[in-house]
């Protein structure tokens, strides 16, 4: 377990942001290294993604949009209860960035300038907002892990571990994730048809 004293406040946030950016870079490089066959498969996945959006009801679109971020925030919350889980908590933003990196790389590679425009208008705003939410969740999980570790290894009173505040913070994060997913779903539901025609899918 690394010492949290070296990563208080902004330093920890910057570390988690770096993990996310490293994930994005790794995802983009993995896509570029996948070769022509891999690019073709990922291009088909992109088309299926937009068609599935078009084929869903509004409620289904909201659920699909919310489930990914909800799962990552939930994982962070659960990992926070372990004293030795900080490396895994830092890996959550990396994993989130990995998926976004692959998606953006395939959009730009398969659809060129049109894909870049769609990415800027339809994917990047939600990706950035969801990344901030996931990073905030990972940050709170790291702090909780440290508090649990102090309580266990230094034999301090467990009253120092504020579970009520921890759950309250994650309740807020879940609410933010739900709001972001709702906004993303509204945009997707009403404009996915326009974007698919623009991309020639």
């Amino acid at each position: 377990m690394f010492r949290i004293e070296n990563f208080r406040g902004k330093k920890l946030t910057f570390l988690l942001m770096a993990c996310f950016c490293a994930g994005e870079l790794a995802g983009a490089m993995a896509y570029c290294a996948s070769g022509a066959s891999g690019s073709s498969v990922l291009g088909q996945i992109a088309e299926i993604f937009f068609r599935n959006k078009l084929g869903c009801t509004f409620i289904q679109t909201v659920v699909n949009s919310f489930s990914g971020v909800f799962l990552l925030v939930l994982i962070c919350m659960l990992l926070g209860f372990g004293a030795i889980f900080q490396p895994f908590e830092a890996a959550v933003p990396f994993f989130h960035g990995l998926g976004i990196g692959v998606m953006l790389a395939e959009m730009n590679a398969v659809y060129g300038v049109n894909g870049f425009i769609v990415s800027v208008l339809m994917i990047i705003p939600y990706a950035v907002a969801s990344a901030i939410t996931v990073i905030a969740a990972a940050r709170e999980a790291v702090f909780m892990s440290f508090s649990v570790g102090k309580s266990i290894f230094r034999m301090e009173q467990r009253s120092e571990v504020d579970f009520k505040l921890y759950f309250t913070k994650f309740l807020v994060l879940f609410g933010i994730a739900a709001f972001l997913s709702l906004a993303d779903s509204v945009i997707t539901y009403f404009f996915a048809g326009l974007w698919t025609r623009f991309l020639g899918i």
Side-chain angles (χ1 to χ4, degrees), residues 7-155:
F7 294 102
R8 288 191 183 278
K10 293 182 179 180
K11 290 184 179 180
L12 175 60
T13 302
F14 289 146
L15 173 65
L16 295 173
M17 289 173 61
C19 290
F20 171 78
C21 292
E24 272 194 309
L25 180 61
M29 292 178 63
Y31 177 86
C32 295
S34 63
S37 59
S39 299
S40 177
V41 172
L42 292 175
Q44 294 174 8
I45 293 174
E47 293 189 15
I48 293 173
F49 169 79
F50 283 105
R51 286 173 180 162
N52 284 345
K53 292 286 187 180
L54 284 174
C56 292
T57 65
F58 179 72
I59 299 299
Q60 290 173 328
T61 305
V62 173
V63 172
N64 291 338
S65 180
F66 178 68
S67 58
V69 178
F70 173 84
L71 182 60
L72 293 176
V73 174
L74 179 62
I75 289 173
C76 286
M77 185 183 73
L78 296 177
L79 288 174
F81 295 114
I84 59 173
F85 289 151
Q86 286 118 341
F88 298 101
E89 292 153 5
V92 174
F94 177 87
F95 179 77
H96 188 50
L98 188 69
I100 292 175
V102 170
M103 185 63 188
L104 292 177
E106 66 178 305
M107 287 294 293
N108 294 329
V110 175
Y111 300 107
V113 176
N114 290 352
F116 174 77
I117 293 173
V118 172
S119 297
V120 170
L121 296 177
M122 192 172 178
I123 299 175
I124 291 180
Y126 176 74
V128 171
S130 63
I132 293 173
T133 304
V134 172
I135 289 171
R139 183 176 182 272
E140 293 302 324
V142 170
F143 283 131
M144 174 55 77
S145 290
F146 177 68
S147 296
V148 171
K150 285 204 309 182
S151 178
I152 293 174
F153 298 115
R154 296 182 182 177
M155 301 302 179

